[in-house]
Amino acid sequence: MNNLIARAKELLENKIVQVIVGYEAGPTGVARPAFITNPAKADLLIYDERCVQNLAVYLTKPEVRNLGKMAIVATLPVMRSIMMLISEQQIFADNIIVLGVSSDGSLLDIADIKVMQAYIEKSDLGNPVKDRALLVELNKLSKEERFAYWQKELSKCIKCYACRQACPLCYCTRCTVEVNQPQWIPVQSNTHGNMEWHILRAMHLAGRCISCGECGRACPVGIPCHLLTMQLADEVHNYFKVYAGTSEKMSSVLSTFEPNDKESFII
Amino acid sequence: MARIGVFVCHCGENISATVDCGKVAETIGKLKHVAYSTDYKYMCSDPGQTIIKDAIKEHNLTGVVVSACSPRMHEPTFRKACAEGGLNPFLCEMANLREHCSWVHEKNDLTTEKAIDIVRSQVEKVKLNSALQPIKVPVTRTALVIGGGIAGIQSALDIANCGHKVVMVERSPSIGGHMSQLSETFPTLDCSQCILTPRMVEVAQHPNITLYTYAEIESVEGFIGNFKVKIRKKAKSLDEKICTGCGLCTTKCPQKKIPNEFEQGMGMRPAIYIPFPQAVPNRPVIDREHCTYYIKGKCKVCEIVCPTKAIRFDQPDEILELEIGAIVVSTGFDIKHADFFPEYGYGKYKDIIDGLQFERLASASGPTTGAILRPSDGQVPKNIVFIACAGSRDPAKGIAYCSKICCMYTAKHAMLYKHKVHEGKAHVFYMDIRSGGKNYDEFVRRAIEEDHVNYIRGRVSTIYERDGKLIVKGVDTLLGAQPVEIVADMVVLATAGIASSGAEELAQKLHVSYDSHKFFAEAHPKLKPVETNTAGIFLAGACQNPKDIPDTVSQASGAAVKVAALFSQSELTREPLVAAVNRSGPPMYSTCVGCFLCQSVCPYQAIEREDFKTRDGKIIKTVAKINEGLCQGCGTCVALCRSKSIDLQGYSNNQVYAEVVALLNEY
Ligand SMILES: Cc1cc2nc3c(=O)[nH]c(=O)nc-3n(C[C@H](O)[C@H](O)[C@H](O)COP(=O)(O)OP(=O)(O)OC[C@H]3O[C@@H](n4cnc5c(N)ncnc54)[C@H](O)[C@@H]3O)c2cc1C
Ligand code: SF4
Ligand code: SF4
Ligand code: SF4
Ligand code: SF4
Ligand code: SF4
């Protein structure tokens, strides 16, 4: 952590970046995002097990962007998000410095995107262990039981769209749900419309979700909506042998065609 | 307020036999926003169109639904009628009551109900139509012809004679293609070279044609009327402007043992060579793969003997960039060789040859100056077997199609043999004789009846060698599958015609489709046999499927007419039914977030980037932009875009949604 603070200070003092995106402790001790522009305040930065939020979501927000060039405290999911955002042309590798942190809290030396890619490639890219276990349980259910499970879960959704706001890959300036000509997704929340919203969100993230789990954590009513996108990440890996966010030149599996593609993916 | 006019057509009895057209018109007439509704026997007829034009004026219509046949059939007719009536043509829609309803159902109330539903959904759609203006695209009036076989030659000459510029790109050192290798041609037995070479020369001398031989297509970008093509002119290793084509170099080259491609490997050629005496252009090239200088670093005999000092060992490949308006693909075909057939010894037996090799043997300019001599020992074969359908029509070999030309050239071969070896015996194994075509069946009958060629209906199961003879074992299915064994001196396989090498790569560069056999695919098997699915790219000859010369030439002229029609105007008018990425004022500019995932799905490479910049040139936002010249309105990008920033003009999400909702709702 001291290394992190020292490095952050150095970057700000030497004006290499204008802002550090990291974590600080809030009044109740909960970790919250910090946007540090003043080197003197770099001491506020923390990194420990409380710091779970995927900070990459801020990379595309104009308010943060307007602060100038940034350095970001990056766990594995953040790094994978950065890769996705670069490959989808939302951010440019030159505009960002990655302050990589390993799972034990030590500062990694991520000099550039190539180093980051190498780090990602040697990491475990599957879904988080506890989500994996949940998915195994869900997949044991029959189709009907599973449908009933999701119907029940999703009927609780209040369409606050916190899951969307928290996801680094839901960066659209206008989401489909905000389109009313035609109204694809009903505004009010009801079981049917909620299902539509979640199917849409899952499909928009299929092959793009980097399994950070942020959407599920953000949900105020406790819907495990991250399991939907994580299951799709599994499917995509099964069929196409790729994990999202592993290269800066990734072509989206669901929007590319290779002449030798097998058709068995039509399920 | 929308004022829609609905015009229900009986299509003679095609629709009215099962649909109560009067009831449809009456029911629809009662709908909100429908200002006028009527039915008539033939809407497409002159009086029918007049009804529409008059109603537009009289009822001040804002949209028209013609409920008739498929829009494929008459949409242009009715759009034109609307335009003449003073309505923007894109405010006219068709409800397909024929193919979608009357033809597929029996006469009853439900059929009429369905017809009403179809019309209702179009009424809802047309309310949301907007007036569109046709798109104008400039046209570069230069055609590119890829492949200089007879197909390419014919197309190039026809286009050039219409007064347009043509660039021909041929990958081998000479134009002429397979036809230049043929001896005599069915069904008239006139000499192939004699009818072909004058045309080859005409290509070379035509003021409107620029010929690049030993050249290949490097890349193709752009769209109809506006292609940008890069051509790689492979180094011929000599200065063509200085070389006089005297050929001295070719006689002195010490490398003399290179199998001659033109002679199908039955002769040898040097490393610096002119493929055949009538080649166009009649200049040699150095085959760097076999030239001693390029292999070992010394030799240069040709440079020493060349009287005009034309040899250039260090010549690089040259890349030319051309602006092209239309492309004719005429890259022809290849054939399978004897090594494709395990049952006939995998090409191990020298005296089993393929059809093209036989053409060279029979050709007066060939390796034997026209004498039929077998390759192993140069003897005249006394007993010769021809096997038709070698590989073709054989799903087990992966070639289910008929190669179309083999029946005819096998008859020709047998005939030529009999004309040259009077005492010899010719046998033909065949599955069926396919000789449809003008004077074709007569030709085959002549082979059988006048030249006494022995036709045996059946397959050959195996061939093996015994005492310098080839034992051909087969069956005669007309004699109850009786086994037949012929002791032959030589066997000629009419091997399957296949796509030319490199066809797949070329198709990918051109973005045109091809079938599972790598033959180029036409846009419609019946109505668009010359077009490809990419506008401005046309097909000619055997690159589409094996064909004979008459078919090739007809198609080549067809392709030329398509090009000439395109070049008849300096601008091209296209239907504006293309995709559009939305635009708005700053700071948003568009809801597009510039992810460019749409770019990778567009099958026509129609999606470009557009930057919004500040006054001092800083990029604020990059968004997608549709190239209207390239977009074919397929809608793939519309379905893909997550933020719903793309819409299809004339088929917007909103319009399609309205159609669906109308169908789901009661009225
Ligand atoms: C054994 C045999 C006998 C035949 N006898 C007769 C007959 O008697 N009568 C008859 O009507 N038909 C006959 N045919 C059929 C005839 O050969 C074809 O109809 C004709 O050659 C087709 O012409 P084409 O121009 O389409 O193709 P091709 O003749 O194959 O010409 C294609 C040209 O394109 C060039 N090319 C290929 N790829 C590229 C590329 N990527 N870039 C640039 N250039 C390229 C090739 O080098 C070639 O010059 C016979 C065919 C065979 C095999
Ligand atoms: S887990 Fe949720 S928040 Fe994280 S990338 Fe996937 S969908 Fe987005
Ligand atoms: S749900 Fe889809 S449209 Fe909405 S923000 Fe996420 S990706 Fe964009
Ligand atoms: S965060 Fe939860 S409640 Fe809100 S929209 Fe997402 S799933 Fe629904
Ligand atoms: S139009 Fe849609 S898919 Fe294309 S770049 Fe824009 S947001 Fe992405
Ligand atoms: S509609 Fe089809 S052709 Fe046109 S830009 Fe979209 S994907 Fe490309």
PDB file of all heavy atoms in Angstrom, chain B residues 264-292:
ATOM      1  N   GLN B 264       0.703 -29.103 -70.461  1.00  0.00           N
ATOM      2  CA  GLN B 264       0.216 -29.954 -69.375  1.00  0.00           C
ATOM      3  C   GLN B 264       1.292 -30.943 -68.938  1.00  0.00           C
ATOM      4  O   GLN B 264       1.016 -32.110 -68.666  1.00  0.00           O
ATOM      5  CB  GLN B 264      -1.056 -30.715 -69.816  1.00  0.00           C
ATOM      6  CG  GLN B 264      -2.239 -29.817 -70.082  1.00  0.00           C
ATOM      7  CD  GLN B 264      -2.724 -29.104 -68.833  1.00  0.00           C
ATOM      8  OE1 GLN B 264      -2.760 -27.889 -68.791  1.00  0.00           O
ATOM      9  NE2 GLN B 264      -3.076 -29.843 -67.811  1.00  0.00           N
ATOM     10  N   GLY B 265       2.518 -30.475 -68.884  1.00  0.00           N
ATOM     11  CA  GLY B 265       3.608 -31.305 -68.393  1.00  0.00           C
ATOM     12  C   GLY B 265       4.127 -32.311 -69.402  1.00  0.00           C
ATOM     13  O   GLY B 265       5.002 -33.116 -69.100  1.00  0.00           O
ATOM     14  N   MET B 266       3.608 -32.274 -70.624  1.00  0.00           N
ATOM     15  CA  MET B 266       4.064 -33.266 -71.604  1.00  0.00           C
ATOM     16  C   MET B 266       5.208 -32.751 -72.470  1.00  0.00           C
ATOM     17  O   MET B 266       5.586 -33.376 -73.450  1.00  0.00           O
ATOM     18  CB  MET B 266       2.894 -33.725 -72.467  1.00  0.00           C
ATOM     19  CG  MET B 266       1.896 -34.512 -71.638  1.00  0.00           C
ATOM     20  SD  MET B 266       0.651 -35.291 -72.642  1.00  0.00           S
ATOM     21  CE  MET B 266       0.012 -33.887 -73.503  1.00  0.00           C
ATOM     22  N   GLY B 267       5.734 -31.596 -72.103  1.00  0.00           N
ATOM     23  CA  GLY B 267       6.897 -31.065 -72.801  1.00  0.00           C
ATOM     24  C   GLY B 267       7.699 -30.284 -71.787  1.00  0.00           C
ATOM     25  O   GLY B 267       7.300 -30.162 -70.629  1.00  0.00           O
ATOM     26  N   MET B 268       8.849 -29.766 -72.186  1.00  0.00           N
ATOM     27  CA  MET B 268       9.693 -29.023 -71.269  1.00  0.00           C
ATOM     28  C   MET B 268       9.840 -27.589 -71.777  1.00  0.00           C
ATOM     29  O   MET B 268       9.686 -27.319 -72.968  1.00  0.00           O
ATOM     30  CB  MET B 268      11.084 -29.664 -71.184  1.00  0.00           C
ATOM     31  CG  MET B 268      11.055 -31.084 -70.649  1.00  0.00           C
ATOM     32  SD  MET B 268      10.431 -31.145 -68.966  1.00  0.00           S
ATOM     33  CE  MET B 268      10.121 -32.889 -68.784  1.00  0.00           C
ATOM     34  N   ARG B 269      10.186 -26.711 -70.858  1.00  0.00           N
ATOM     35  CA  ARG B 269      10.433 -25.333 -71.258  1.00  0.00           C
ATOM     36  C   ARG B 269      11.622 -24.797 -70.479  1.00  0.00           C
ATOM     37  O   ARG B 269      11.974 -25.340 -69.424  1.00  0.00           O
ATOM     38  CB  ARG B 269       9.196 -24.473 -71.001  1.00  0.00           C
ATOM     39  CG  ARG B 269       8.825 -24.348 -69.520  1.00  0.00           C
ATOM     40  CD  ARG B 269       7.965 -23.145 -69.264  1.00  0.00           C
ATOM     41  NE  ARG B 269       7.463 -23.084 -67.900  1.00  0.00           N
ATOM     42  CZ  ARG B 269       8.129 -22.563 -66.878  1.00  0.00           C
ATOM     43  NH1 ARG B 269       9.351 -22.099 -67.034  1.00  0.00           N
ATOM     44  NH2 ARG B 269       7.580 -22.542 -65.667  1.00  0.00           N
ATOM     45  N   PRO B 270      12.258 -23.726 -70.986  1.00  0.00           N
ATOM     46  CA  PRO B 270      13.354 -23.106 -70.245  1.00  0.00           C
ATOM     47  C   PRO B 270      12.825 -22.190 -69.136  1.00  0.00           C
ATOM     48  O   PRO B 270      11.620 -22.007 -69.007  1.00  0.00           O
ATOM     49  CB  PRO B 270      14.083 -22.291 -71.310  1.00  0.00           C
ATOM     50  CG  PRO B 270      13.056 -22.035 -72.362  1.00  0.00           C
ATOM     51  CD  PRO B 270      12.053 -23.134 -72.309  1.00  0.00           C
ATOM     52  N   ALA B 271      13.743 -21.605 -68.357  1.00  0.00           N
ATOM     53  CA  ALA B 271      13.328 -20.730 -67.260  1.00  0.00           C
ATOM     54  C   ALA B 271      12.864 -19.383 -67.782  1.00  0.00           C
ATOM     55  O   ALA B 271      12.009 -18.735 -67.196  1.00  0.00           O
ATOM     56  CB  ALA B 271      14.465 -20.541 -66.272  1.00  0.00           C
ATOM     57  N   ILE B 272      13.459 -18.922 -68.890  1.00  0.00           N
ATOM     58  CA  ILE B 272      12.916 -17.718 -69.528  1.00  0.00           C
ATOM     59  C   ILE B 272      12.118 -18.218 -70.718  1.00  0.00           C
ATOM     60  O   ILE B 272      12.623 -18.949 -71.563  1.00  0.00           O
ATOM     61  CB  ILE B 272      14.030 -16.702 -69.905  1.00  0.00           C
ATOM     62  CG1 ILE B 272      13.401 -15.446 -70.497  1.00  0.00           C
ATOM     63  CG2 ILE B 272      15.075 -17.300 -70.832  1.00  0.00           C
ATOM     64  CD1 ILE B 272      14.338 -14.243 -70.511  1.00  0.00           C
ATOM     65  N   TYR B 273      10.820 -17.902 -70.714  1.00  0.00           N
ATOM     66  CA  TYR B 273       9.984 -18.584 -71.708  1.00  0.00           C
ATOM     67  C   TYR B 273       8.808 -17.745 -72.157  1.00  0.00           C
ATOM     68  O   TYR B 273       8.331 -16.854 -71.448  1.00  0.00           O
ATOM     69  CB  TYR B 273       9.482 -19.911 -71.140  1.00  0.00           C
ATOM     70  CG  TYR B 273       8.440 -19.757 -70.041  1.00  0.00           C
ATOM     71  CD1 TYR B 273       7.098 -20.070 -70.280  1.00  0.00           C
ATOM     72  CD2 TYR B 273       8.796 -19.289 -68.771  1.00  0.00           C
ATOM     73  CE1 TYR B 273       6.146 -19.919 -69.272  1.00  0.00           C
ATOM     74  CE2 TYR B 273       7.849 -19.129 -67.764  1.00  0.00           C
ATOM     75  CZ  TYR B 273       6.528 -19.447 -68.021  1.00  0.00           C
ATOM     76  OH  TYR B 273       5.579 -19.290 -67.033  1.00  0.00           O
ATOM     77  N   ILE B 274       8.365 -18.044 -73.369  1.00  0.00           N
ATOM     78  CA  ILE B 274       7.081 -17.542 -73.882  1.00  0.00           C
ATOM     79  C   ILE B 274       6.179 -18.767 -73.855  1.00  0.00           C
ATOM     80  O   ILE B 274       6.547 -19.809 -74.398  1.00  0.00           O
ATOM     81  CB  ILE B 274       7.236 -17.005 -75.319  1.00  0.00           C
ATOM     82  CG1 ILE B 274       8.239 -15.852 -75.328  1.00  0.00           C
ATOM     83  CG2 ILE B 274       5.896 -16.568 -75.878  1.00  0.00           C
ATOM     84  CD1 ILE B 274       8.544 -15.297 -76.713  1.00  0.00           C
ATOM     85  N   PRO B 275       5.020 -18.702 -73.149  1.00  0.00           N
ATOM     86  CA  PRO B 275       4.271 -19.932 -72.914  1.00  0.00           C
ATOM     87  C   PRO B 275       3.910 -20.708 -74.179  1.00  0.00           C
ATOM     88  O   PRO B 275       3.919 -21.926 -74.178  1.00  0.00           O
ATOM     89  CB  PRO B 275       3.030 -19.469 -72.157  1.00  0.00           C
ATOM     90  CG  PRO B 275       3.048 -17.987 -72.140  1.00  0.00           C
ATOM     91  CD  PRO B 275       4.410 -17.529 -72.492  1.00  0.00           C
ATOM     92  N   PHE B 276       3.547 -20.017 -75.247  1.00  0.00           N
ATOM     93  CA  PHE B 276       3.274 -20.726 -76.502  1.00  0.00           C
ATOM     94  C   PHE B 276       3.462 -19.741 -77.648  1.00  0.00           C
ATOM     95  O   PHE B 276       3.445 -18.525 -77.433  1.00  0.00           O
ATOM     96  CB  PHE B 276       1.880 -21.374 -76.503  1.00  0.00           C
ATOM     97  CG  PHE B 276       0.738 -20.435 -76.171  1.00  0.00           C
ATOM     98  CD1 PHE B 276      -0.056 -19.879 -77.181  1.00  0.00           C
ATOM     99  CD2 PHE B 276       0.440 -20.100 -74.847  1.00  0.00           C
ATOM    100  CE1 PHE B 276      -1.122 -19.034 -76.883  1.00  0.00           C
ATOM    101  CE2 PHE B 276      -0.619 -19.238 -74.541  1.00  0.00           C
ATOM    102  CZ  PHE B 276      -1.392 -18.710 -75.551  1.00  0.00           C
ATOM    103  N   PRO B 277       3.679 -20.249 -78.850  1.00  0.00           N
ATOM    104  CA  PRO B 277       4.100 -19.364 -79.948  1.00  0.00           C
ATOM    105  C   PRO B 277       3.130 -18.213 -80.232  1.00  0.00           C
ATOM    106  O   PRO B 277       3.559 -17.132 -80.617  1.00  0.00           O
ATOM    107  CB  PRO B 277       4.181 -20.310 -81.149  1.00  0.00           C
ATOM    108  CG  PRO B 277       4.349 -21.665 -80.573  1.00  0.00           C
ATOM    109  CD  PRO B 277       3.675 -21.667 -79.245  1.00  0.00           C
ATOM    110  N   GLN B 278       1.817 -18.442 -80.004  1.00  0.00           N
ATOM    111  CA  GLN B 278       0.853 -17.382 -80.331  1.00  0.00           C
ATOM    112  C   GLN B 278       0.544 -16.515 -79.112  1.00  0.00           C
ATOM    113  O   GLN B 278      -0.449 -15.772 -79.103  1.00  0.00           O
ATOM    114  CB  GLN B 278      -0.461 -17.983 -80.855  1.00  0.00           C
ATOM    115  CG  GLN B 278      -0.348 -18.815 -82.106  1.00  0.00           C
ATOM    116  CD  GLN B 278       0.224 -20.206 -81.818  1.00  0.00           C
ATOM    117  OE1 GLN B 278       0.279 -20.675 -80.687  1.00  0.00           O
ATOM    118  NE2 GLN B 278       0.680 -20.864 -82.883  1.00  0.00           N
ATOM    119  N   ALA B 279       1.357 -16.589 -78.087  1.00  0.00           N
ATOM    120  CA  ALA B 279       1.058 -15.886 -76.837  1.00  0.00           C
ATOM    121  C   ALA B 279       0.877 -14.389 -77.057  1.00  0.00           C
ATOM    122  O   ALA B 279       1.504 -13.792 -77.931  1.00  0.00           O
ATOM    123  CB  ALA B 279       2.171 -16.117 -75.825  1.00  0.00           C
ATOM    124  N   VAL B 280      -0.010 -13.804 -76.268  1.00  0.00           N
ATOM    125  CA  VAL B 280      -0.217 -12.354 -76.277  1.00  0.00           C
ATOM    126  C   VAL B 280      -0.108 -11.877 -74.837  1.00  0.00           C
ATOM    127  O   VAL B 280      -0.868 -12.348 -73.982  1.00  0.00           O
ATOM    128  CB  VAL B 280      -1.608 -12.011 -76.844  1.00  0.00           C
ATOM    129  CG1 VAL B 280      -1.918 -10.534 -76.603  1.00  0.00           C
ATOM    130  CG2 VAL B 280      -1.685 -12.325 -78.319  1.00  0.00           C
ATOM    131  N   PRO B 281       0.812 -11.023 -74.514  1.00  0.00           N
ATOM    132  CA  PRO B 281       1.854 -10.444 -75.368  1.00  0.00           C
ATOM    133  C   PRO B 281       2.936 -11.484 -75.680  1.00  0.00           C
ATOM    134  O   PRO B 281       3.166 -12.387 -74.893  1.00  0.00           O
ATOM    135  CB  PRO B 281       2.423  -9.337 -74.480  1.00  0.00           C
ATOM    136  CG  PRO B 281       2.170  -9.782 -73.080  1.00  0.00           C
ATOM    137  CD  PRO B 281       0.899 -10.551 -73.118  1.00  0.00           C
ATOM    138  N   ASN B 282       3.569 -11.311 -76.813  1.00  0.00           N
ATOM    139  CA  ASN B 282       4.567 -12.295 -77.233  1.00  0.00           C
ATOM    140  C   ASN B 282       5.936 -11.928 -76.689  1.00  0.00           C
ATOM    141  O   ASN B 282       6.875 -11.644 -77.439  1.00  0.00           O
ATOM    142  CB  ASN B 282       4.574 -12.386 -78.760  1.00  0.00           C
ATOM    143  CG  ASN B 282       5.024 -13.771 -79.199  1.00  0.00           C
ATOM    144  OD1 ASN B 282       6.150 -14.164 -78.911  1.00  0.00           O
ATOM    145  ND2 ASN B 282       4.155 -14.497 -79.845  1.00  0.00           N
ATOM    146  N   ARG B 283       6.027 -11.873 -75.381  1.00  0.00           N
ATOM    147  CA  ARG B 283       7.276 -11.515 -74.711  1.00  0.00           C
ATOM    148  C   ARG B 283       7.550 -12.568 -73.636  1.00  0.00           C
ATOM    149  O   ARG B 283       6.614 -13.045 -73.002  1.00  0.00           O
ATOM    150  CB  ARG B 283       7.132 -10.161 -73.993  1.00  0.00           C
ATOM    151  CG  ARG B 283       6.770  -9.000 -74.880  1.00  0.00           C
ATOM    152  CD  ARG B 283       8.007  -8.448 -75.593  1.00  0.00           C
ATOM    153  NE  ARG B 283       7.654  -7.321 -76.443  1.00  0.00           N
ATOM    154  CZ  ARG B 283       7.179  -7.418 -77.675  1.00  0.00           C
ATOM    155  NH1 ARG B 283       6.992  -8.604 -78.224  1.00  0.00           N
ATOM    156  NH2 ARG B 283       6.885  -6.347 -78.367  1.00  0.00           N
ATOM    157  N   PRO B 284       8.807 -12.893 -73.414  1.00  0.00           N
ATOM    158  CA  PRO B 284       9.094 -13.894 -72.390  1.00  0.00           C
ATOM    159  C   PRO B 284       9.006 -13.324 -70.973  1.00  0.00           C
ATOM    160  O   PRO B 284       8.957 -12.107 -70.785  1.00  0.00           O
ATOM    161  CB  PRO B 284      10.536 -14.315 -72.707  1.00  0.00           C
ATOM    162  CG  PRO B 284      11.112 -13.207 -73.505  1.00  0.00           C
ATOM    163  CD  PRO B 284      10.008 -12.408 -74.104  1.00  0.00           C
ATOM    164  N   VAL B 285       8.970 -14.221 -70.013  1.00  0.00           N
ATOM    165  CA  VAL B 285       9.137 -13.839 -68.611  1.00  0.00           C
ATOM    166  C   VAL B 285      10.167 -14.800 -68.026  1.00  0.00           C
ATOM    167  O   VAL B 285      10.353 -15.898 -68.548  1.00  0.00           O
ATOM    168  CB  VAL B 285       7.828 -13.976 -67.786  1.00  0.00           C
ATOM    169  CG1 VAL B 285       6.754 -13.072 -68.325  1.00  0.00           C
ATOM    170  CG2 VAL B 285       7.356 -15.416 -67.743  1.00  0.00           C
ATOM    171  N   ILE B 286      10.814 -14.363 -66.940  1.00  0.00           N
ATOM    172  CA  ILE B 286      11.719 -15.291 -66.258  1.00  0.00           C
ATOM    173  C   ILE B 286      10.975 -15.900 -65.085  1.00  0.00           C
ATOM    174  O   ILE B 286      10.414 -15.190 -64.253  1.00  0.00           O
ATOM    175  CB  ILE B 286      13.009 -14.594 -65.760  1.00  0.00           C
ATOM    176  CG1 ILE B 286      13.797 -14.044 -66.948  1.00  0.00           C
ATOM    177  CG2 ILE B 286      13.867 -15.585 -64.949  1.00  0.00           C
ATOM    178  CD1 ILE B 286      15.143 -13.422 -66.575  1.00  0.00           C
ATOM    179  N   ASP B 287      10.955 -17.228 -65.059  1.00  0.00           N
ATOM    180  CA  ASP B 287      10.347 -17.957 -63.952  1.00  0.00           C
ATOM    181  C   ASP B 287      11.408 -18.033 -62.860  1.00  0.00           C
ATOM    182  O   ASP B 287      12.306 -18.857 -62.897  1.00  0.00           O
ATOM    183  CB  ASP B 287       9.940 -19.329 -64.499  1.00  0.00           C
ATOM    184  CG  ASP B 287       9.612 -20.318 -63.412  1.00  0.00           C
ATOM    185  OD1 ASP B 287       9.587 -19.920 -62.233  1.00  0.00           O
ATOM    186  OD2 ASP B 287       9.377 -21.488 -63.755  1.00  0.00           O
ATOM    187  N   ARG B 288      11.288 -17.116 -61.888  1.00  0.00           N
ATOM    188  CA  ARG B 288      12.370 -16.966 -60.905  1.00  0.00           C
ATOM    189  C   ARG B 288      12.558 -18.209 -60.046  1.00  0.00           C
ATOM    190  O   ARG B 288      13.638 -18.445 -59.524  1.00  0.00           O
ATOM    191  CB  ARG B 288      12.097 -15.754 -60.008  1.00  0.00           C
ATOM    192  CG  ARG B 288      12.230 -14.456 -60.770  1.00  0.00           C
ATOM    193  CD  ARG B 288      12.157 -13.249 -59.858  1.00  0.00           C
ATOM    194  NE  ARG B 288      12.405 -12.024 -60.624  1.00  0.00           N
ATOM    195  CZ  ARG B 288      12.452 -10.814 -60.082  1.00  0.00           C
ATOM    196  NH1 ARG B 288      12.267 -10.666 -58.783  1.00  0.00           N
ATOM    197  NH2 ARG B 288      12.686  -9.757 -60.830  1.00  0.00           N
ATOM    198  N   GLU B 289      11.492 -18.986 -59.927  1.00  0.00           N
ATOM    199  CA  GLU B 289      11.603 -20.187 -59.101  1.00  0.00           C
ATOM    200  C   GLU B 289      12.587 -21.182 -59.710  1.00  0.00           C
ATOM    201  O   GLU B 289      13.246 -21.934 -58.997  1.00  0.00           O
ATOM    202  CB  GLU B 289      10.218 -20.816 -59.014  1.00  0.00           C
ATOM    203  CG  GLU B 289       9.921 -21.476 -57.698  1.00  0.00           C
ATOM    204  CD  GLU B 289       8.501 -22.009 -57.717  1.00  0.00           C
ATOM    205  OE1 GLU B 289       7.559 -21.184 -57.784  1.00  0.00           O
ATOM    206  OE2 GLU B 289       8.353 -23.229 -57.710  1.00  0.00           O
ATOM    207  N   HIS B 290      12.681 -21.196 -61.021  1.00  0.00           N
ATOM    208  CA  HIS B 290      13.536 -22.187 -61.671  1.00  0.00           C
ATOM    209  C   HIS B 290      14.791 -21.608 -62.312  1.00  0.00           C
ATOM    210  O   HIS B 290      15.638 -22.353 -62.801  1.00  0.00           O
ATOM    211  CB  HIS B 290      12.740 -22.949 -62.742  1.00  0.00           C
ATOM    212  CG  HIS B 290      11.651 -23.797 -62.170  1.00  0.00           C
ATOM    213  ND1 HIS B 290      10.331 -23.405 -62.132  1.00  0.00           N
ATOM    214  CD2 HIS B 290      11.704 -25.004 -61.557  1.00  0.00           C
ATOM    215  CE1 HIS B 290       9.610 -24.343 -61.544  1.00  0.00           C
ATOM    216  NE2 HIS B 290      10.423 -25.322 -61.186  1.00  0.00           N
ATOM    217  N   CYS B 291      14.909 -20.294 -62.362  1.00  0.00           N
ATOM    218  CA  CYS B 291      16.046 -19.668 -63.047  1.00  0.00           C
ATOM    219  C   CYS B 291      17.340 -19.884 -62.250  1.00  0.00           C
ATOM    220  O   CYS B 291      17.382 -19.674 -61.036  1.00  0.00           O
ATOM    221  CB  CYS B 291      15.757 -18.183 -63.200  1.00  0.00           C
ATOM    222  SG  CYS B 291      17.201 -17.189 -63.556  1.00  0.00           S
ATOM    223  N   THR B 292      18.393 -20.318 -62.922  1.00  0.00           N
ATOM    224  CA  THR B 292      19.672 -20.621 -62.256  1.00  0.00           C
ATOM    225  C   THR B 292      20.203 -19.391 -61.530  1.00  0.00           C
ATOM    226  O   THR B 292      20.750 -19.481 -60.441  1.00  0.00           O
ATOM    227  CB  THR B 292      20.724 -21.065 -63.292  1.00  0.00           C
ATOM    228  OG1 THR B 292      20.085 -21.915 -64.230  1.00  0.00           O
ATOM    229  CG2 THR B 292      21.873 -21.799 -62.627  1.00  0.00           C
TER     230      THR B 292
END
